[in-house]
Amino acid sequence: MTTIFTRNDKGSEPILAGNTPAAEKSDAAPGSQNALPTDPLKHSLASAQALTSTASAPRGVSVISRALKITGQLESSEDIQIEGLVEGDVRAVTVRVGPDARVHGTVSGDEVELAGTVDGKIEAKKVVLTSSAHMTGDVVHQDISIQSGAYISGNLIPDYGKSESNVQPIKAMVE
Amino acid sequence: MFAQTRKKADPLDQPPSHLGPALKVTGVLDMDGDLYVHGAVLGRINATRVILAPEASIDGDIVARDVHIEGHVNGRIFALNVTVESTATVTGRIFHNTLAVARGARIDGRMPWRPPSYFDTLTQLPEIRL
């Protein structure tokens, strides 16, 4: 007997289990057209946690990889590591700008470590400019360390936390 | 951009990006490779693969080859392969070629099917209809 409830049972039950002829058949048609490696995503419907948690970065740290370009603002109450390109302002607790990274805008936080290029402004309690740093713009800081080889074009202003409006502690902003 | 025809392994060789749970991004994200989002994004996402964790919240369009959703999306999705997990909440249209929806997922919107060729010409689309 076939009813609307039973006629698809053969196909629908194994789909929930994940790997079945029915599931593979539905995936196979578009898959063969694209021939792209989509396996992790396909199988994840049954094992969703594996995809997000095993491949996850260490908790709390955001990584902007070198293939990522962000146009806009980033705001975090945790740490950010930038290896890519950011056109806009970055605000976090600890910001690390990697050797090949570029930021056009203001980078602010408790601690900013620069190994790449910043075109704009840095506002941080503690600023570290490594030997590969390229900084164009002002640095507002309380505590700065500059390695030999770092390029700075701009003013170093030791006023972080003292001056009034524009520099606010990160915690007040986020939350 | 997503629409370019690239060599197979190329985009996924790139190191993935992770946007942590405390991170809020306002603007456009343009990425070659995997993008893991645990936080909030207000704006458009463009990547090869987008994986949205349960705590992720997206307000804006997503253009990608593969999209895996466990979190909240408010906006349109343009992707060849879309997986919507049971924890997901999606409001908006899902333009897809292959779609998998887990039991328990909340979807409010249409889910138009498109041929793979549609996604090759996607470069202009989101801008025009945004």
Side-chain angles (χ1 to χ4, degrees), chain A residues 140-142 159-164 167:
Chain A
V140 182
H141 63 91
Q142 206 174 74
D159 279 350
Y160 182 83
K162 289 177 195 164
S163 64
E164 54 310 329
V167 185

Side-chain angles (χ1 to χ4, degrees), chain A residues 115-174:
Chain A
T117 305
V118 169
D119 194 348
K121 196 173 178 185
I122 293 180
E123 292 175 356
K125 199 170 176 181
K126 185 172 176 219
V127 178
V128 178
L129 301 178
T130 68
S131 56
S132 57
H134 190 109
M135 174 64 207
T136 313
D138 295 353
V139 180
V140 182
H141 63 91
Q142 206 174 74
D143 171 4
I144 190 166
S145 123
I146 306 171
Q147 279 185 18
S148 155
Y151 173 96
I152 308 166
S153 165
N155 300 316
L156 302 181
I157 306 162
D159 279 350
Y160 182 83
K162 289 177 195 164
S163 64
E164 54 310 329
S165 57
N166 55 344
V167 185
Q168 283 176 356
I170 173 73
K171 266 140 205 153
M173 287 296 295
V174 185

Side-chain angles (χ1 to χ4, degrees), chain A:
Chain A
M1 186 174 108
T2 303
T3 71
I4 192 171
F5 298 110
T6 57
R7 65 179 173 190
N8 285 331
D9 273 0
K10 208 184 340 148
S12 66
E13 225 168 70
I15 281 178
L16 293 174
N19 263 335
T20 67
E24 296 201 337
K25 197 182 157 205
S26 63
D27 282 340
S32 58
Q33 283 163 17
N34 314 319
L36 287 167
T38 56
D39 288 353
L41 289 179
K42 258 188 227 162
H43 296 301
S44 62
L45 196 64
S47 55
Q49 289 322 108
L51 186 67
T52 34
S53 48
T54 55
S56 251
R59 281 312 249 195
V61 182
S62 297
V63 182
I64 313 298
S65 80
R66 64 186 149 89
L68 177 58
K69 177 188 171 188
I70 297 180
T71 313
Q73 288 182 353
L74 285 85
E75 245 182 70
S76 177
S77 51
E78 292 169 339
D79 303 349
I80 300 182
Q81 185 179 342
I82 301 172
E83 305 292 340
L85 176 60
V86 177
E87 303 265 1
D89 299 345
V90 181
R91 178 180 276 275
V93 177
T94 305
V95 183
R96 278 176 222 286
V97 182
D100 296 322
R102 295 174 67 89
V103 179
H104 292 257
T106 302
V107 180
S108 49
D110 277 354
E111 188 178 337
V112 172
E113 191 181 311
L114 177 61
T117 305
V118 169
D119 194 348
K121 196 173 178 185
I122 293 180
E123 292 175 356
K125 199 170 176 181
K126 185 172 176 219
V127 178
V128 178
L129 301 178
T130 68
S131 56
S132 57
H134 190 109
M135 174 64 207
T136 313
D138 295 353
V139 180
V140 182
H141 63 91
Q142 206 174 74
D143 171 4
I144 190 166
S145 123
I146 306 171
Q147 279 185 18
S148 155
Y151 173 96
I152 308 166
S153 165
N155 300 316
L156 302 181
I157 306 162
D159 279 350
Y160 182 83
K162 289 177 195 164
S163 64
E164 54 310 329
S165 57
N166 55 344
V167 185
Q168 283 176 356
I170 173 73
K171 266 140 205 153
M173 287 296 295
V174 185
E175 195 49 34

Side-chain angles (χ1 to χ4, degrees), chain B residues 11-127:
Chain B
L12 298 176
D13 278 350
Q14 299 283 356
S17 286
H18 292 266
L19 307 184
L23 181 65
K24 185 186 173 193
V25 181
T26 313
V28 180
L29 287 83
D30 212 332
M31 167 101 192
D32 280 335
D34 293 2
L35 177 65
Y36 291 80
V37 183
H38 298 261
V41 176
L42 208 84
R44 206 170 107 215
I45 297 178
N46 213 316
T48 312
R49 292 206 299 200
V50 179
I51 295 100
L52 306 178
E55 64 269 32
S57 151
I58 313 293
D59 210 326
D61 293 348
I62 300 172
V63 183
R65 199 190 67 207
D66 305 306
V67 177
H68 179 90
I69 305 167
E70 292 174 33
H72 294 252
V73 178
N74 188 2
R76 294 170 306 166
I77 296 161
F78 302 83
L80 216 45
N81 308 303
V82 180
T83 333
V84 183
E85 291 292 345
S86 58
T87 50
T89 310
V90 181
T91 311
R93 292 187 186 183
I94 303 175
F95 294 83
H96 69 278
N97 187 255
T98 332
L99 176 66
V101 181
R103 177 188 298 243
R106 295 185 183 185
I107 300 182
D108 185 357
R110 295 176 54 200
M111 291 174 267
W113 181 89
R114 292 288 184 269
S117 58
Y118 171 83
F119 298 95
D120 292 337
T121 58
L122 212 57
T123 344
Q124 309 93 328
L125 262 178
E127 259 99 16

